[in-house]
Amino acid sequence: MKTFVAFLLLPVALAVIVALYFGNCVFVHIENDFAALRRAAETTRPLWHTYERLESMAPRAWHQPTNSREIIDTIRLVARQDDDKETSKIRVVGAGHSWSPLGLTAGHLINLDKYSRVLEIDVKNARVTTQSGIRLRDLNRALFERGLALENIGSIDAQSLAGAISTSTHGSGVKYGSISTKVLWLEMILANGSTINITRDDTGLYGAATTGLGLLGVISVVQLECARAFHVYREESLEHVDVAMEKWSERVNAIDHYSTWWIPYTSSVRLVKVTRVGRERRANKSDAFTTRSSFGVAVQLGWWLGSLAPRLVPHVMAYYVRPLFGIDVAFVATALDGLQLDPPHVHNEMEYFIDLENYTRCFRDLVAFVRASDEFKTNFIVQTRFSASDRVWLSPMYERPKAAIAIMMYRQDARAFFDGAERIFQSYDGRPHWAKKHSASRDYLQRVYPMFREFLRVREALDPRGIFLNEYLEGVLYG
Ligand SMILES: Cc1cc2nc3c(=O)[nH]c(=O)nc-3n(C[C@H](O)[C@H](O)[C@H](O)COP(=O)(O)OP(=O)(O)OC[C@H]3O[C@@H](n4cnc5c(N)ncnc54)[C@H](O)[C@@H]3O)c2cc1C
């Protein structure tokens, strides 16, 4: 039956892809091509943009070092320019998959795509040492070949390892921490060109460096703790929102990676239950494929239609929710395939982390706000995930497990939605995801991130001239 549905949807999907492509919209990820950017820079000042193309800027110079000497030389080159201008600063970026303009600079931009080699996989002790520019998907594949895996992963695996660490990138699972929590040690090149090693025992620096937003230096090499390679059993189905809200607290403890999607303007939630299973269970690839091809494409079609006529979204959702989101899914897959399969990727996003005891009330306030607002009609899901407490200073999970509520908008102005939702999140002292859209003030951040001031103290000691700052971060941290 599922295959039949997939088959029926295929021509529609192809038509949509062609329409979207020729409609000149961003349907697939077009990565920043650094070689082309560098070539173009000889005659013009080409733009570097974030993945969604919502933020862009022309840096003064591009750098793609292939070894640590070149990273050091680039930093020293910038450090020698003894002035305070934005063009005399430096930012480091990975895949540019942050919605907030963390990577924008009018100065120098470094990218470590060419500094991305796995250096050593220690199978016995389940750890890997790697150059930090590696993408998570390449790292995870290399680990899988040796019987290891990343402990958890978010919706996608296109990020660079250093970018994911620097922003506390997380998946779902109240027993599983962000990728930052897996760092055993890292090597960082500082503003003065010196190199330091920061280990888990280094209480002064480890907490700051494992979510540093690219402000403390350039992370060059990382050693990570890994898991033994695993398979997962993934189930997805629809449920009434009231039942889901009643049962979430017992489910987060029983299910390894539990998350939900509320379908706006409906009473339905799509449950995503992912449980780790032994390697002896065979992955059923065709079911994973069916999910990707039918569900993924059908949902993409829904979002797209919603962006064309936002006012119709509530009516269309009521009709669409069963045929679209009602497709039940259950399959076994490797951790490489089974932990992802999340929403279509191109969209705008804000995410706040709420204390577990406040989650139900905060979620219900958000639902009421979305239903009542006439200023916008959201055409995307509201996702909730759960994440373990940690000791990383700027981690949203610092010293508390959290429910992470992500709101998204597809090809529409998100301001009215995000502003209203942010007021609700902040009324529960939510902590914003640094890589996603937010407009939290410095005072607010200082209140909800207990180590905020400590982090600034370390930043100022390591980079007194502020060469790693950009205008955006200066506003967020000191505005
Ligand atoms: C479709 C999509 C899905 C996503 N899903 C999730 C998810 O499930 N969970 C989640 O938590 N987040 C998610 N994100 C956000 C994403 O994980 C973060 O934005 C992450 O930082 C992106 O990694 P990147 O390599 O693109 O980093 P960039 O966006 O390029 O940079 C992010 C930060 O890392 C710093 N940085 C990069 N490289 C270095 C380095 N070598 N040394 C020091 N600092 C460095 C940068 O200066 C910047 O401050 C998603 C984003 C997208 C677009």
Side-chain angles (χ1 to χ4, degrees):
M1 178 59 190
K2 282 182 203 144
T3 315
F4 178 67
V5 173
F7 196 70
L8 276 186
L9 285 170
L10 210 58
V12 180
L14 284 175
V16 171
I17 289 166
V18 169
L20 287 171
Y21 184 76
F22 288 106
N24 195 26
C25 76
V26 187
F27 180 69
V28 289
H29 179 200
I30 303 161
E31 305 217 16
N32 284 299
D33 176 347
F34 270 78
L37 286 167
R38 227 182 12 251
R39 276 197 306 278
E42 286 160 16
T43 49
T44 58
R45 288 187 60 196
L47 292 178
W48 178 84
H49 57 81
T50 55
Y51 158 78
E52 310 286 338
R53 296 177 175 242
L54 294 169
E55 304 283 352
S56 60
M57 200 174 211
R60 169 181 168 182
W62 303 92
H63 307 272
Q64 248 189 338
T66 56
N67 57 57
S68 58
R69 188 72 255 158
E70 286 175 14
I71 305 177
I72 293 167
D73 288 348
T74 307
I75 294 175
R76 288 205 167 131
L77 172 88
V78 177
R80 271 202 300 273
Q81 298 162 18
D82 200 10
D83 64 57
D84 244 7
K85 289 196 215 117
E86 186 76 14
T87 46
S88 304
K89 304 212 164 179
I90 187 164
R91 289 295 293 157
V92 54
V93 287
H97 271 59
S98 299
W99 281 273
S100 60
L102 294 171
L104 297 198
T105 181
H108 297 252
L109 197 65
I110 296 195
N111 162 266
L112 300 190
D113 274 2
K114 293 198 174 142
Y115 194 69
S116 55
R117 219 160 32 82
V118 174
L119 301 175
E120 191 194 353
I121 298 181
D122 176 353
V123 177
K124 185 160 160 265
N125 294 304
R127 50 184 62 170
V128 58
T129 311
T130 178
Q131 293 174 341
S132 72
I134 193 167
R135 301 298 172 99
L136 295 183
R137 60 177 166 238
D138 298 330
L139 177 57
N140 221 0
R141 273 189 219 122
L143 289 172
F144 239 78
E145 279 169 19
R146 302 290 304 278
L148 299 177
L150 292 174
E151 173 81 18
N152 198 5
I153 202 148
S155 308
I156 54 162
D157 55 8
Q159 304 96 321
S160 70
L161 175 60
I165 291 169
S166 301
T167 55
S168 275
T169 290
H170 67 103
S172 197
V174 84
K175 288 182 276 184
Y176 301 94
S178 74
I179 193 144
S180 307
T181 65
K182 298 290 138 194
V183 174
L184 291 168
W185 59 258
L186 58 78
E187 180 185 274
M188 189 180 267
I189 301 169
L190 303 177
N192 62 10
S194 65
T195 302
I196 54 169
N197 259 50
I198 302 172
T199 68
R200 257 191 188 163
D201 308 326
D202 186 344
T203 46
L205 281 179
Y206 179 87
T210 41
T211 294
L213 308 177
L215 286 167
L216 307 184
V218 174
I219 298 171
S220 45
V221 177
V222 179
Q223 188 175 78
L224 277 190
E225 207 178 357
C226 306
R228 300 282 160 204
F230 56 96
H231 284 65
V232 294
Y233 176 59
R234 184 174 177 118
E235 279 178 288
E236 296 182 25
S237 55
L238 267 194
E239 188 171 79
H240 194 282
V241 65
D242 290 341
V243 181
M245 292 318 286
E246 215 172 274
K247 298 201 165 161
W248 71 263
S249 60
E250 77 194 54
R251 285 177 178 160
V252 289
N253 291 310
I255 298 163
D256 288 312
H257 309 278
Y258 178 68
S259 60
T260 58
W261 298 5
W262 174 55
I263 323 297
Y265 311 107
T266 74
S267 307
S268 297
V269 163
R270 188 164 172 89
L271 309 177
V272 181
K273 302 178 189 171
V274 181
T275 312
R276 294 175 180 227
V277 290
R279 289 189 78 180
E280 69 282 0
R281 281 182 77 164
R282 280 168 51 99
N284 184 344
K285 281 273 180 195
S286 68
D287 269 2
F289 175 77
T290 306
T291 311
R292 279 216 168 99
S293 54
S294 62
F295 181 67
V297 169
V299 169
Q300 178 84 44
L301 174 64
W303 308 140
W304 183 63
L305 291 173
S307 70
L308 296 181
R311 296 272 138 201
L312 292 180
V313 169
H315 311 286
V316 175
M317 282 294 186
Y319 166 79
Y320 221 28
V321 68
R322 286 249 147 240
L324 256 194
F325 296 97
I327 302 170
D328 284 355
V329 169
F331 61 87
V332 176
T334 65
L336 297 178
D337 282 336
L339 282 173
Q340 300 177 60
L341 298 178
D342 266 338
H345 296 163
V346 177
H347 60 271
N348 200 355
E349 186 163 327
M350 165 183 281
E351 185 171 40
Y352 265 75
F353 296 73
I354 309 293
D355 282 344
L356 297 184
E357 58 271 27
N358 291 333
Y359 166 58
T360 304
R361 280 186 301 133
C362 179
F363 180 83
R364 288 206 184 282
D365 287 357
L366 184 69
V367 167
F369 163 68
V370 170
R371 284 193 172 130
S373 180
D374 214 28
E375 263 187 279
F376 66 88
K377 295 293 166 208
T378 175
N379 54 6
F380 222 108
I381 55 157
V382 172
Q383 183 184 38
T384 301
R385 292 177 287 180
F386 300 88
S387 206
S389 162
D390 63 43
R391 301 302 310 275
V392 176
W393 292 2
L394 288 192
S395 161
M397 283 73 70
Y398 181 73
E399 291 194 332
R400 304 191 69 99
K402 294 279 179 176
I405 307 181
I407 57 170
M408 312 175 198
M409 198 69 132
Y410 178 66
R411 285 163 59 77
Q412 274 195 84
D413 187 345
R415 264 169 303 182
F417 182 23
F418 285 11
D419 287 352
E422 193 166 32
R423 279 193 290 277
I424 295 171
F425 293 143
Q426 293 195 355
S427 71
Y428 289 96
D429 286 349
R431 293 176 180 159
H433 193 310
W434 298 101
K436 305 192 181 182
K437 288 285 164 67
H438 72 87
S439 56
S441 67
R442 175 203 159 107
D443 285 350
Y444 180 81
L445 292 168
Q446 210 161 275
R447 185 159 65 73
V448 297
Y449 279 97
M451 298 302 279
F452 187 82
R453 279 211 189 93
E454 269 307 282
F455 178 83
L456 291 191
R457 197 187 50 72
V458 169
R459 194 209 70 70
E460 283 147 21
L462 294 183
D463 179 20
R465 232 195 75 212
I467 66 165
F468 290 118
L469 276 169
N470 65 8
E471 211 180 317
Y472 167 73
L473 282 161
E474 203 139 351
V476 170
L477 304 180
Y478 297 100

